[in-house]
């Protein structure tokens, strides 16, 4: 199989666009470990984030579900025993990343500030000053080359 120079040049031109995406980052400022699973069409392995540690993954689109949810609990294996969880979710579209924050089965960070801060300061933060949803829509969007950072037990929003 032979490709023309124009076809090869076209693929080469697209390569930087395909790799020009940010990261989803979770930083644990809490004094205790947290547990994270990256969930799309399947459940990724458990990640233990120690106090002061972080987790990062390149923003990507899940072929089965479309989006990714980083499910976080304060209980080891909390994903499997109904423990309260915070879901930091994102969907990657051409040129945009949509992100949101929600809790299910309770509020594992109640009383502790949690905040999503994109690296692009023109994009909107999500701030839960008391660790619970303050009400209203929590869905935001930004350029896909922006990293989105969830800070658990943040000093302030």
């Amino acid at each position: 199989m032979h490709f023309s120079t124009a076809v090869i040049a076209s693929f080469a031109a697209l390569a930087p666009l395909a790799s020009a995406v940010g990261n989803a980052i979770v930083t644990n400022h809490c004094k205790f470990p947290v547990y994270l699973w990256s969930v799309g069409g399947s459940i990724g392995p458990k990640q233990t984030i120690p106090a002061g540690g972080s987790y990062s993954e390149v923003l990507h689109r899940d072929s089965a579900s479309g989006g990714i949810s980083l499910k976080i609990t304060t209980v080891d294996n909390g994903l499997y025993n109904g423990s309260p969880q915070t879901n930091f979710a994102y969907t990657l579209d051409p040129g945009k990343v949509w992100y949101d924050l929600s809790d299910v089965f309770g509020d594992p960070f109640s009383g502790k500030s949690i905040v999503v801060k994109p690296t692009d300061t023109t994009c909107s933060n999500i701030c839960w000053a008391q660790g619970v949803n303050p009400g209203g829509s929590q869905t935001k969007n930004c350029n896909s080359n922006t990293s989105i950072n969830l800070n658990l037990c943040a000093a302030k929003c």
Side-chain angles (χ1 to χ4, degrees), residues 12 24 26 30 38 42 50-51 63 67 69 72 90 103 108 115-116 119 124 132 135-136 140 142 145 148:
V26 177
C30 303
S38 182
S42 62
S63 60
S69 181
I72 304 160
Y90 67 87
D103 279 352
V115 60
V116 177
T119 54
S124 297
V132 296
K140 312 291 183 198
C142 198
N145 62 349
I148 47 176

Side-chain angles (χ1 to χ4, degrees), residues 24-151:
I25 303 164
V26 177
T27 302
N28 183 9
H29 299 281
C30 303
K31 295 179 179 177
F32 49 84
V34 299
Y35 308 92
L36 176 148
W37 294 262
S38 182
V39 178
S42 62
I43 300 172
K46 176 181 74 174
Q47 305 292 323
T48 301
I49 308 172
S54 65
Y55 168 84
S56 179
E57 71 180 38
V58 174
L59 296 173
H60 62 282
R61 184 163 177 79
D62 183 76
S63 60
S65 67
I68 302 293
S69 181
L70 301 180
K71 297 179 176 282
I72 304 160
T73 69
T74 58
V75 175
D76 193 11
N77 292 320
L79 183 67
Y80 300 105
N81 63 23
S83 294
Q85 62 183 252
T86 294
N87 294 325
F88 175 37
Y90 67 87
T91 301
L92 189 61
D93 283 333
K96 285 200 179 298
V97 60
W98 295 84
Y99 52 98
D100 69 12
L101 202 55
S102 63
D103 279 352
V104 294
F105 310 125
D107 303 301
F109 297 98
S110 181
K112 297 165 181 62
S113 177
I114 57 178
V115 60
V116 177
K117 285 189 168 191
T119 54
D120 181 341
T121 58
T122 65
C123 299
S124 297
N125 292 348
I126 300 173
C127 174
W128 291 8
Q130 297 301 314
V132 296
N133 186 331
S137 174
Q138 300 299 303
T139 303
K140 312 291 183 198
N141 71 70
C142 198
N143 298 318
S144 61
N145 62 349
T146 299
S147 290
I148 47 176
N149 305 281
L150 171 60
N151 292 283

